[in-house]
Amino acid sequence: MSLPKGFLWGGATAANQFEGGYLDGGKGLSTADVVTAGSHTVSRRITYTMPDGTKHTQPIMPYEEIPEGAVCDVQEGYYYPSHIGIDFYHRYKEDIALFAEMGFKCFRLSINWGRIFPNGDDETPNEEGLKFYDDVFDELLKYNIEPVVTISHYETPLTLVNKYGGWLDRRVIDFYVLYCETLFTRYKGKVKYWMTFNEINIMGMLPFFAGGVIKATPQAKAQAVHHQFVASAKVVKLGHQIDPENKVGLMIAYGSTYAYSCDPKDQALAMETTQNSHFYSDVQVRGYYPAYKLKEYERLGVKVEMASEDAQTLKEGCVDYLGFSYYSSSCVSSKPVGNETGGNFVSGVKNPYLKASDWGWQIDGIGLRIALNRLWERYQKPLFIVENGLGAVDTVEEDGSINDDYRIEYIAEHIKEMDKAVNYDGVDLIGYTPWGCIDLVSAGTGEMKKRYGFIYVDRDDQGNGSLNRSKKKSFNWYKKVIASDGEDLSND
Ligand code: BG6
């Protein structure tokens, strides 16, 4: 079997993890620019200064709170991986030529808000920033590669954090809407696929990453994400008004959650855990808050302030498609089991039937088919797998080759299940963009050694290396997969 003609094969990236050029072309600082590197065992940290001049840091995981009055800033003596990234800002032509060589039909990238509105609350956009993305889109279109754009991917202009407290402040909705209006107008005819917020559900875990929110209470997170829901809905409507060709989607982090056993208590817990992800897509696809969340807010004493027009705004701004990331599945147990494992910003109980990556993310191709079916049954809206892949340590052999068979095996297993979901189950899936198609900085750990790419980038965790690009074994393999529309997955 193969995936339909016109299927959007490609790869995915995010500005703050690969562009670099953090102050080039008039760009302002963003939240990502004040987050240091970490590792598998040591959390990345946010740096900030208090009004009395004392300098501090705060781990991103587990995130507690940055105190009121703190000013997040870049400080001497720390390494901030976003500042150089992998230097796509200066090397985009070379990188796009490599994507074209693999046969990409689309390329997912995010726009760095601070390139367009350096402070976030500026009245007029920064022409140099707009021009940069014009050049990138033109380069992609030269090779018939469709840009797929995330409007906000884990970076919020730092001024919006230090001056307004990030998305906790309702005024940020208007700044974001102006930013989007600027993008839709400028790139009309060049970009059709948009996503409003990367992994909007991460607000529940990492509010600083998700929206520059320094508070960590359930109340603050609920309020901030409400503002993002309203902003997203306004922007869906606006996107259609500016260009009826636009498809504006949501993006959530998604994984299959299994009950650890057939104990009904475990099953109920799995249901509740899944609801935690569905809450975000329910609001954006259906246009209203689901009852289970309203009840939870009642229990927690959370009172979301809503403007009188918000309900109508949500109803009028339902998304066109669902983008989601899928890396692994997890198990939940109602009783202590004592063998926790990692995942994409989440943890769960180890599944005895699955292997895991070196970072403890459990590898589960079948879980992708389950996820696709669950989302399709629930919403009947086109689905787009905008992230999937294996973070692994790659070895460069003496002859320069990189034999990443483990990555080929992982992606092949997931494509097989994707194929089943489409051709056996009838799911409407429009595309597949494996994460970090070119090696980039890890969001969770800030490492370079956690690599996902088909293209190797010579850079290490301390920022050393030539930044030269080279093809891994998976490069030609993925090229063949795309050319056969997913039919030829052999690794020879
Ligand atoms: C997703 C994010 O959560 O997972 C990406 O959208 C991130 O930004 C990716 O890089 C993989 O996670 P990590 O921590 O391995 O980089």
Side-chain angles (χ1 to χ4, degrees):
M1 290 277 215
S2 63
L3 276 303
K5 291 270 166 250
F7 187 77
L8 291 170
W9 294 98
T13 55
N16 79 84
Q17 291 167 253
F18 91 139
E19 267 182 11
Y22 83 115
L23 291 176
D24 287 354
K27 177 185 165 297
L29 287 175
S30 82
T31 45
D33 297 326
V34 296
V35 181
T36 66
S39 72
H40 189 15
T41 47
V42 179
S43 175
R44 306 185 70 183
R45 301 184 82 88
I46 303 157
T47 50
Y48 63 90
T49 301
M50 291 306 291
D52 63 4
T54 52
K55 309 227 173 267
H56 302 265
T57 68
Q58 165 73 40
I60 60 158
M61 268 183 286
Y63 180 73
E64 283 161 16
E65 277 200 3
I66 293 176
E68 255 347 293
V71 172
C72 299
D73 55 5
V74 173
Q75 296 177 10
E76 288 290 315
Y78 293 102
Y79 172 55
Y80 299 93
S82 72
H83 293 191
I84 306 284
I86 57 151
D87 200 30
F88 176 81
Y89 187 77
H90 298 107
R91 296 166 194 246
Y92 67 91
K93 287 196 179 165
E94 181 191 350
D95 294 342
I96 291 171
L98 287 165
F99 301 151
E101 193 182 330
M102 271 189 281
F104 278 20
K105 311 283 184 229
C106 75
F107 175 57
R108 175 178 177 229
L109 73 169
S110 71
I111 291 186
N112 206 322
W113 188 349
R115 279 201 198 287
I116 312 299
F117 288 95
N119 298 296
D121 62 354
D122 317 73
E123 280 171 19
T124 50
N126 169 33
E127 176 54 32
E128 224 177 318
L130 287 167
K131 165 87 171 53
F132 170 66
Y133 293 106
D134 255 326
D135 293 346
V136 169
F137 297 144
D138 289 344
E139 196 65 18
L140 289 167
L141 295 169
K142 181 171 119 188
Y143 296 104
N144 290 321
I145 299 175
E146 176 101 48
V148 175
V149 172
T150 320
I151 297 171
S152 175
H153 189 135
Y154 293 166
E155 39 74 25
T156 303
L158 206 58
T159 304
L160 295 185
V161 179
N162 291 332
K163 194 163 149 192
Y164 300 87
W167 277 94
L168 195 50
D169 191 310
R170 194 172 169 102
R171 285 171 293 180
V172 174
I173 298 177
D174 290 338
F175 302 140
Y176 179 84
V177 172
L178 175 62
Y179 163 51
C180 294
E181 187 183 352
T182 308
L183 302 184
F184 292 148
T185 311
R186 175 76 173 223
Y187 304 124
K188 184 173 173 177
K190 291 187 184 178
V191 180
K192 186 166 92 177
Y193 288 97
W194 304 89
M195 277 170 280
T196 49
F197 294 97
N198 183 64
E199 297 187 334
I200 191 167
N201 48 334
I202 296 299
M203 181 65 84
M205 292 160 248
L206 298 176
F208 185 80
F209 253 44
V213 177
I214 60 169
K215 288 193 178 300
T217 58
Q219 173 68 39
K221 292 189 267 191
Q223 189 64 56
V225 85
H226 177 70
H227 293 151
Q228 291 192 335
F229 287 148
V230 172
S232 176
K234 285 185 175 217
V235 158
V236 172
K237 195 171 165 189
L238 186 69
H240 295 154
Q241 282 163 356
I242 294 178
D243 185 353
E245 289 292 302
N246 275 334
K247 305 269 178 229
V248 190
L250 62 77
M251 172 9 179
I252 52 168
Y254 204 65
S256 289
T257 302
Y258 305 127
Y260 190 62
S261 77
C262 52
D263 179 343
K265 287 190 189 131
D266 286 2
Q267 300 290 332
L269 186 60
M271 177 196 77
E272 285 173 13
T273 310
T274 306
Q275 276 177 347
N276 267 335
S277 302
H278 286 161
F279 159 54
Y280 299 86
S281 39
D282 281 356
V283 175
Q284 291 180 280
V285 176
R286 296 173 171 163
Y288 57 90
Y289 276 63
Y292 58 82
K293 189 50 87 175
L294 295 173
K295 286 287 177 199
E296 185 191 322
Y297 282 170
E298 238 174 82
R299 285 193 301 276
L300 293 173
V302 166
K303 289 197 175 63
V304 179
E305 265 180 51
M306 299 194 191
S308 54
E309 68 276 14
D310 286 359
Q312 188 61 23
T313 304
L314 293 180
K315 215 186 277 174
E316 290 173 1
C318 297
V319 291
D320 299 316
Y321 68 96
L322 277 98
F324 69 99
S325 60
Y326 176 91
Y327 292 91
S328 57
S329 63
S330 61
C331 290
V332 289
S333 170
S334 55
K335 333 173 240 313
V337 184
N339 55 349
E340 287 253 306
T341 188
N344 191 13
F345 300 120
V346 289
S347 57
V349 176
K350 255 188 205 148
N351 185 330
Y353 299 98
L354 299 176
K355 287 195 213 140
S357 78
D358 291 345
W359 277 261
W361 297 21
Q362 301 183 107
I363 301 171
D364 182 11
I366 295 176
L368 176 60
R369 176 177 169 217
I370 295 172
L372 283 163
N373 272 278
R374 204 177 266 161
L375 290 172
W376 174 244
E377 279 164 17
R378 194 172 180 95
Y379 301 120
Q380 303 281 301
K381 287 263 181 191
L383 304 177
F384 198 160
I385 303 167
V386 293
E387 286 185 33
N388 172 242
L390 179 73
V393 176
D394 291 327
T395 309
V396 184
E397 306 295 342
E398 268 183 26
D399 64 357
S401 63
I402 299 150
N403 298 306
D404 55 342
D405 294 289
Y406 36 89
R407 183 166 295 110
I408 293 175
E409 193 185 322
Y410 175 102
I411 295 189
E413 180 183 330
H414 286 75
I415 293 178
K416 257 186 227 152
E417 295 300 326
M418 191 167 98
D419 185 303
K420 224 181 249 173
V422 172
N423 291 312
Y424 188 85
D425 305 320
V427 169
D428 182 3
L429 178 66
I430 54 178
Y432 177 65
T433 56
W435 176 249
C437 48
I438 179 164
D439 291 345
L440 39 62
V441 175
S442 157
T445 67
E447 293 167 304
M448 268 307 296
K449 75 161 187 259
K450 189 180 187 193
R451 297 173 183 274
Y452 287 87
F454 306 114
I455 301 165
Y456 185 86
V457 177
D458 179 26
R459 186 153 176 92
D460 70 13
D461 290 346
Q462 288 72 43
N464 307 304
S466 62
L467 286 164
N468 284 345
R469 281 55 171 151
S470 53
K471 298 173 194 171
K472 302 183 194 176
K473 186 176 180 191
S474 55
F475 183 99
N476 283 322
W477 175 81
Y478 191 47
K479 180 177 174 179
K480 183 181 69 172
V481 171
I482 296 178
S484 66
D485 271 316
E487 192 151 3
D488 185 358
L489 298 175
S490 62
N491 176 21
D492 39 42

